[in-house]
Amino acid sequence: MVQLTGRDAAVLEWLSVVRLADMDAMRFALAGLGTNEHPVDPITLRKAQRWVSRMIEVGMVARARPTFQTSSVVWATHQAIGRIAPNLYRQTTRHEVAVATVAARYLAQGYEWARDRKPHSMSEHMADGVAIKGAHRELVEVELTPKTLGRYKLIHNSHADRLSGQGFSRVVYACTPEAARVVSREADQYLFRDLRPRLITGAVFDVRGTWTGHQDALWMGVPEPEPVMMQAPLFERGLQ
């Protein structure tokens, strides 16, 4: 019988949400889920690789190296979470890895990470993730390439509704420089003046989806947001 530590179980649960992560993300996730003191620096690559190797030996994690990656990506196996392996050749794989990169940095800051709720209508938008820390809840988006301009009106209107009436403190975009400029410009156009400061853009990725910003870039110089009263359950956690 496999003996898992509390951190092992927490990391596998996180992998069940993000689905796959590269070794850089694993360094932050293992650090963030291995302590109650935050923020915390990432563990070394060697230690992260050691954890992955141990999990591979007991069948809880699998590893591969897609052609678009400079390092391996890992995922929790069917034995660990009851789900089939992710398709590494989908067009969205690079984006999924980038989302895990952001999620892991939130863990290192002491946040929990969850899926956003599924939209119930065409006017609602599903974010890439929800970060939770005490009473604070943040919608998190990863933007490696700008969307068509027509989509931003719907997306920012949805963000505005959730900031003003659904208990979210901020919306955080982790972007490439080009995408950050587009997101900021469209937010200037579609968000009311009182809500606009609560949408943050960080140019932290290059076009390959590699994190190039400071590890704390999404929090540097940003005041702690005020908690907002929630009106309804907004996200789903755990397995789907």
Side-chain angles (χ1 to χ4, degrees):
M1 184 176 178
V2 177
Q3 295 292 324
L4 297 178
T5 67
R7 182 177 72 168
D8 294 341
V11 175
L12 292 172
E13 181 182 0
W14 174 72
L15 283 172
S16 77
V17 177
V18 297
R19 296 298 286 130
L20 60 157
D22 65 13
M23 292 308 301
D24 177 62
M26 295 304 298
R27 293 174 59 221
F28 283 86
L30 285 161
L33 293 171
T35 181
N36 292 321
E37 300 293 329
H38 299 97
V40 63
D41 289 329
I43 65 173
T44 65
L45 178 60
R46 182 178 296 274
K47 288 183 178 179
Q49 290 171 332
R50 197 176 303 147
W51 183 89
V52 169
S53 296
R54 180 168 65 87
M55 290 294 104
I56 289 174
E57 287 178 5
V58 297
M60 295 289 158
V61 162
R63 172 173 55 195
R65 184 170 177 177
T67 54
F68 68 85
Q69 282 290 122
T70 57
S71 67
S72 298
V73 296
V74 302
W75 61 91
T77 62
H78 186 275
Q79 177 181 332
I81 63 172
R83 299 178 66 179
I84 63 173
N87 182 352
L88 301 183
Y89 301 101
R90 293 172 55 190
Q91 290 185 338
T92 58
T93 298
R94 188 194 304 267
H95 179 265
E96 289 178 286
V97 172
V99 170
T101 295
V102 176
R105 282 162 170 77
Y106 266 97
L107 297 182
Q109 292 285 329
Y111 287 76
E112 299 176 64
W113 184 264
R115 296 185 188 93
D116 193 13
R117 85 303 178 251
K118 293 181 179 179
H120 298 295
S121 69
M122 294 295 292
S123 64
E124 294 181 335
H125 172 71
M126 182 176 179
D128 290 317
V130 176
I132 308 106
K133 187 177 184 180
H136 306 308
R137 289 169 172 81
E138 302 186 359
L139 292 170
V140 183
E141 302 274 17
V142 172
E143 203 94 338
L144 300 181
T145 56
K147 294 180 172 64
T148 57
L149 296 184
R151 293 184 62 189
Y152 282 110
K153 184 178 190 300
L154 182 151
I155 292 170
H156 286 319
N157 285 345
S158 179
H159 290 333
D161 288 343
R162 302 181 78 182
L163 286 170
S164 60
Q166 293 189 359
F168 286 95
S169 300
R170 8 179 241 168
V171 178
V172 177
Y173 273 83
C175 308
T176 59
E178 179 189 8
R181 287 191 293 271
V182 174
V183 169
S184 294
R185 184 188 66 211
E186 298 303 297
D188 289 343
Q189 180 176 355
Y190 294 119
L191 288 182
F192 289 120
R193 187 178 303 173
D194 60 333
L195 296 178
R196 179 63 184 88
R198 292 164 59 190
L199 187 144
I200 309 298
T201 55
V204 294
F205 284 112
D206 66 16
V207 293
R208 297 167 299 175
T210 301
W211 183 280
T212 55
H214 188 280
Q215 70 181 48
D216 299 331
L218 300 179
W219 301 273
M220 293 172 62
V222 178
E224 188 76 5
E226 292 295 326
V228 183
M229 293 297 295
M230 294 186 63
Q231 296 182 346
L234 300 171
F235 55 86
E236 300 169 353
R237 298 192 59 191
L239 303 180
Q240 289 185 338

